[in-house]
Amino acid sequence: MLCLCFWSGSLSKPEKALLSRQHRATSDDPKKCAYTFLVPQQKITGPICASATGPEPDKDRVTRMDIADVREVLSKQRREIETLQLVVDVDGNMVNEMKLLRKESRNMNSRVTQLYMQLLHEIIRKRDNSLELVQLENRVLNVTSEMLRLASRYKELELRFSALAAVVNNQSVLITALEEQCMRGYGRRDLPAVPPLVQVVPENIPVNNNRFTNEIQRDHNRAFPRGSRMDTSPTANPLGNPPPPEGTLTSDGPFRDCFQVRQAGHSTSGMYLLKPEGTDKLIQAWCEHGLDNGGWTVFQRRKDGSVNFFRNWENYKKGFGNIDSEYWLGLENIYNLAKQGDYQLLVELEDWMAKKVYAEYSSFHLEPESEAYRLRLGTYQGNAGDSLTSHNGKPFTTLDRDKDAFSGNCAHFHKGGWWYNACGQTNLNGVWYSGGVYRSKFQDGIFWADYGGGFYSLKSVRMMIRPID
C-alpha cells in the first residue's frame, strides 16, 4: 500500500481519478475482488479502444484489407460518379434543348394564334366585301333599270321631237310661202323697214389673250374685284309676294335696298327681302356684297339662257325668272327702288374668254309707267365702252308696246324688251347665244356694241344699282 501510494504520486490527474474511483468501488463492496494495475505514464495520442470481449486477433491485417476494399469501393464510386456526371451533362443539354423547344413552342403557339386572328379578320372582311358586293350589284341593277327607263323615255322624246320638227318644218314652209305672198302683195315702196345694223367698230374685241384677268379695273388705280355668287340650290319661285324657300333669305328685314342690307352687317351675297319706301309690296332680290364693298341690288342677270326674255309689257313690268339664276326684277320694282334717292348704275359684262369689263354711270333712275319707264342716266366711266348713253332718255319698248324711234318694232327684231332708240347700241335682254359670235338675220344677241360689236353675244351680264356714296 505504501508502494502504491508512492507510485500514485507520480501519476497524472486522470490516472489518479481512475484509481480513486476504483478504490471507492472496492471499499463500497467488500465482497468483490479488486485489482490494481500499474501502467507507466505515457502521452495519449489517439483514441482509446476498450472491448468487453478482449482484443481481436489480427487486427492490423484486417484493417489493410478493409482499406483495400474501401479503396476499391471508392474507385468504383468515383467511376460511377463520373458516369453520373456524364449522364448529368447529357441530361442538362437535353433540359436546355427542352427549354428551347418549349420556348419555340410558345412562339409557334403565339404565331398560330396571330395567324388565326388574321384569318378570322380576313374571313370577316371578305364577308363584308361580299355584302358590299351584293349591295353594289343591287345598285347596278337599280341603275340599269333606271337607264332602261330613261332610254325608253328618251326614245319617246325623240319621237316627239321628230314630230315637232316635222311641224316646225311645215310651219317654216308655210311662213316662207306667206312671206313670198306678202312680198308679192306689197309694192317695193311698202316693204317693211328693217333696223340698221350696228356700225360701231368696237375698240375692245374679245380675243383669247393671257393678260386678261378676272378683275374689273376702276379709275384712280382702285381695284374693283369680281364678286362670286353664293352656292345655293336654284329655286323655281318667280319674283313677287310668294314666300321664299326656307334658308335662302335672312330672318332680318325687309330692307329698303341692298345697301341697307350691307349696313345691317350682312356681308354674304344672296337673296334678301326688300321693301322700297312708299310701297307695300315685298321684293325678293339678289344682293351682291362681294363687289366694290357690296350693297349692289341686282335687277338684271343673264348667264346661261335658261330664261326666255322675249316677253310682253306686263311681264317686264312685274318681273320674271329665278332670283339665283337669270331674272328681270321688274320695271315697277326698279322704278320704286331708284326713286328712293340718288343711285348709280353698274353694268358688268363677261365674254367667252372669261374676261370681265364694266360700264358705270354716275346716276340712274326711271320715270313712271305713264312715261313708259323712260331711262335717265348720268356720265359714263369704265373699260367696256359707252354703249348705253345713246339709249338715255328713251322709253321702254316690248313686242306689244312699241315706244322706240324706229318705224318698226325694235323688240321684234332684237327679240327682247329694252330702252330702244332706233334700235340702239346694246341689247342686254336679247337671245343668249353660246360661244360669242353668232349668225342671225338680225342683231338679236346679248351684245354691247363697244365691246365685241353687234354680232358677238356675251356670256354673262349683270345690271345693278346702289346709292351714290
Side-chain angles (χ1 to χ4, degrees), residues 50-324:
S51 176
T53 59
E56 296 180 358
D58 299 331
K59 181 178 179 181
D60 294 336
R61 185 176 59 80
V62 172
T63 300
R64 285 194 296 272
M65 292 177 63
D66 290 338
I67 291 173
D69 293 338
V70 170
R71 287 179 177 175
E72 184 178 356
V73 171
L74 290 175
S75 178
K76 183 178 180 181
Q77 290 180 351
R78 187 178 295 109
R79 289 193 299 271
E80 291 178 354
I81 290 172
E82 291 176 356
T83 303
L84 290 174
Q85 185 67 34
L86 293 175
V87 173
V88 168
D89 293 339
V90 173
D91 291 342
N93 293 332
M94 293 182 66
V95 169
N96 292 332
E97 292 179 359
M98 285 298 295
K99 290 181 179 179
L100 292 175
L101 289 175
R102 287 181 180 176
K103 185 176 180 180
E104 292 180 358
S105 176
R106 288 194 297 269
N107 294 335
M108 289 298 294
N109 290 335
S110 176
R111 181 59 178 167
V112 168
T113 303
Q114 184 179 2
L115 291 175
Y116 176 76
M117 294 301 295
Q118 291 180 357
L119 179 61
L120 184 61
H121 292 163
E122 187 69 19
I123 292 173
I124 295 174
R125 188 181 64 82
K126 288 186 177 180
R127 185 182 63 182
D128 295 339
N129 289 340
S130 63
L131 293 177
E132 292 179 359
L133 182 61
V134 171
Q135 294 177 356
L136 183 61
E137 289 177 351
N138 293 333
R139 290 177 60 186
V140 170
L141 292 175
N142 294 335
V143 172
T144 303
S145 61
E146 184 69 16
M147 290 178 61
L148 293 175
R149 189 183 67 81
L150 292 177
S152 177
R153 179 64 177 167
Y154 178 73
K155 290 181 180 179
E156 294 178 1
L157 292 176
E158 278 187 338
L159 294 176
R160 292 180 61 184
F161 177 77
S162 299
L164 292 175
V167 173
V168 169
N169 291 332
N170 294 334
Q171 290 179 349
S172 298
V173 174
L174 180 60
I175 290 172
T176 302
L178 290 175
E179 286 180 348
E180 292 178 354
Q181 184 178 355
C182 289
M183 293 294 292
R184 288 194 299 269
Y186 281 108
R188 295 188 61 86
R189 297 178 182 178
D190 299 329
L191 289 177
V194 177
L197 299 178
V198 174
Q199 301 296 327
V200 175
V201 178
E203 298 179 1
N204 299 316
I205 301 177
V207 294
N208 190 3
N209 195 322
N210 292 331
R211 60 188 178 84
F212 290 159
T213 65
N214 287 341
E215 292 187 356
I216 302 175
Q217 301 298 325
R218 300 290 301 273
D219 291 342
H220 310 294
N221 297 324
R222 183 161 60 97
F224 195 40
R226 156 81 167 151
S228 60
R229 184 172 64 85
M230 183 173 59
D231 292 333
T232 57
S233 57
T235 173
N237 285 356
L239 298 172
N241 290 325
E246 183 179 358
T248 57
L249 295 179
T250 178
S251 59
D252 299 339
F255 305 93
R256 66 192 301 266
D257 56 15
C258 290
F259 186 73
Q260 190 180 48
V261 172
R262 186 69 180 87
Q263 289 178 330
H266 300 282
S267 59
T268 302
S269 300
M271 290 183 289
Y272 292 87
L273 201 60
L274 307 180
K275 184 177 178 295
E277 296 176 354
T279 64
D280 296 330
K281 184 178 180 181
L282 298 177
I283 305 172
Q284 297 176 32
W286 185 274
C287 294
E288 179 57 55
H289 298 308
L291 189 66
D292 191 27
N293 298 323
W296 294 99
T297 303
V298 180
F299 68 83
Q300 189 259 21
R301 176 163 53 195
R302 307 297 302 276
K303 56 180 292 188
D304 53 14
S306 59
V307 176
N308 180 17
F309 274 65
F310 195 22
R311 306 276 185 130
N312 58 20
W313 179 269
E314 193 65 21
N315 289 145
Y316 270 99
K317 175 184 176 181
K318 294 182 177 180
F320 55 86
N322 299 324
I323 298 298
D324 50 359

